[in-house]
Amino acid sequence: MTQNRRHVRNDRQLPGTDTASRKRALTLPSSLWAFLVFAALMCGGCQTPLPPLPNPPGPKTAVRLSPGDALKFSFAEESDLDQTQEIRRDGKVSLPLLGEVTAAGKRIIDFQNEIVSRYESHFDNSEVLVTLESGGASVIVSGFVNKPGKIDFDRPKTVFQAIMEAGGVSDYGSLSNIHLTRMIHGAQRTETINLRPTIHGYPTEPKYVQDGDVIYVSRSWF
């Protein structure tokens, strides 16, 4: 009789046991799915850093002229020839007595010395002052910054300075996953920059930009 009662109690517990087992069976895949989604998002934001670009510009790298820059030419003795010209898309300007002269890709001081030298056979005093009226180099800052857009500069500028001019990294931006893209020999090349040590005050080697660079601040997943 005692054994029969135990058998009946065990039979009565089986339905409840099966229900609990089914609940655990249903709960486990949901938790596992949530973990897999979280892991995928984390891995998406933890890409392998890209290596540094070759021949990086430095603090003494001069800004070079480019198409669209407006140059003012002031002649020492021939003031009637004074003029302002914009460098054409082909990189050239047209000057009196000289015709077309290539300006793009040259430092402004080198271009001025070239003009002075070429005018020596035309004037007793061939001094010509060449100044940059507008233009200069520019870099595009995009991604998770507060004020994305074009940043102009006429002297060496770092990636950190360019991002700060763009309003700094937004609340959703990643200081450790910044992409600097540059055109090198006709191909776009990209490197990954980590500015987190800089923000926290640690001594770091600055990364300088050059004309035409694109800075993209990635999203932070942390």
Side-chain angles (χ1 to χ4, degrees):
M1 178 66 72
T2 302
Q3 292 179 351
N4 290 336
R5 290 179 179 176
R6 289 178 181 174
H7 181 71
V8 170
R9 283 199 298 269
N10 290 337
D11 290 342
R12 290 176 179 175
Q13 290 174 356
L14 285 176
T17 303
D18 292 343
T19 301
S21 299
R22 285 196 297 269
K23 288 182 179 179
R24 286 195 298 270
L26 291 174
T27 303
L28 181 59
S30 299
S31 301
L32 182 60
W33 173 254
F35 173 77
L36 291 175
V37 171
F38 177 76
L41 291 175
M42 294 291 287
C43 292
C46 299
Q47 298 177 353
T48 303
L50 299 171
L53 298 174
N55 305 318
K60 297 183 179 180
T61 302
V63 174
R64 298 182 180 274
L65 298 171
S66 59
D69 292 347
L71 300 177
K72 181 179 181 180
F73 299 89
S74 302
F75 292 77
E77 292 187 352
E78 304 291 335
S79 58
D80 56 322
L81 298 181
D82 292 354
Q83 58 189 278
T84 298
Q85 284 197 48
E86 185 175 290
I87 301 177
R88 303 194 305 263
R89 294 185 63 180
D90 61 2
K92 298 180 179 181
V93 293
S94 183
L95 296 175
L97 304 177
L98 298 182
E100 295 187 346
V101 182
T102 299
K106 300 175 181 177
R107 299 186 308 164
I108 191 166
I109 186 62
D110 294 335
F111 180 60
Q112 176 178 285
N113 291 338
E114 177 185 347
I115 295 301
V116 170
S117 176
R118 296 182 65 172
Y119 270 123
E120 286 180 350
S121 60
H122 298 280
F123 307 126
D124 293 334
N125 185 350
S126 62
E127 290 299 319
V128 181
L129 177 63
V130 182
T131 54
L132 184 63
E133 288 285 281
S134 64
S138 64
V139 59
I140 302 296
V141 182
S142 64
F144 292 88
V145 291
N146 291 308
K147 294 187 295 183
K150 185 175 72 170
I151 304 295
D152 296 321
F153 62 98
D154 57 2
R155 62 188 63 186
K157 185 181 294 291
T158 66
V159 171
F160 178 68
Q161 290 171 330
I163 291 176
M164 289 302 104
E165 283 197 39
V169 176
S170 70
D171 293 339
Y172 298 100
S174 173
L175 286 168
S176 58
N177 192 12
I178 297 170
H179 289 178
L180 173 65
T181 300
R182 178 173 299 149
M183 189 71 71
I184 299 177
H185 302 307
Q188 290 183 333
R189 300 277 298 276
T190 303
E191 72 170 291
T192 305
I193 298 174
N194 181 6
L195 284 181
R196 191 173 294 277
T198 304
I199 294 294
H200 290 293
Y202 294 104
T204 57
E205 183 177 354
K207 290 283 187 178
Y208 286 86
V209 298
Q210 68 182 38
D211 185 32
D213 283 355
V214 175
I215 300 171
Y216 179 80
V217 178
S218 301
R219 181 184 177 89
S220 175
W221 297 101
F222 300 95

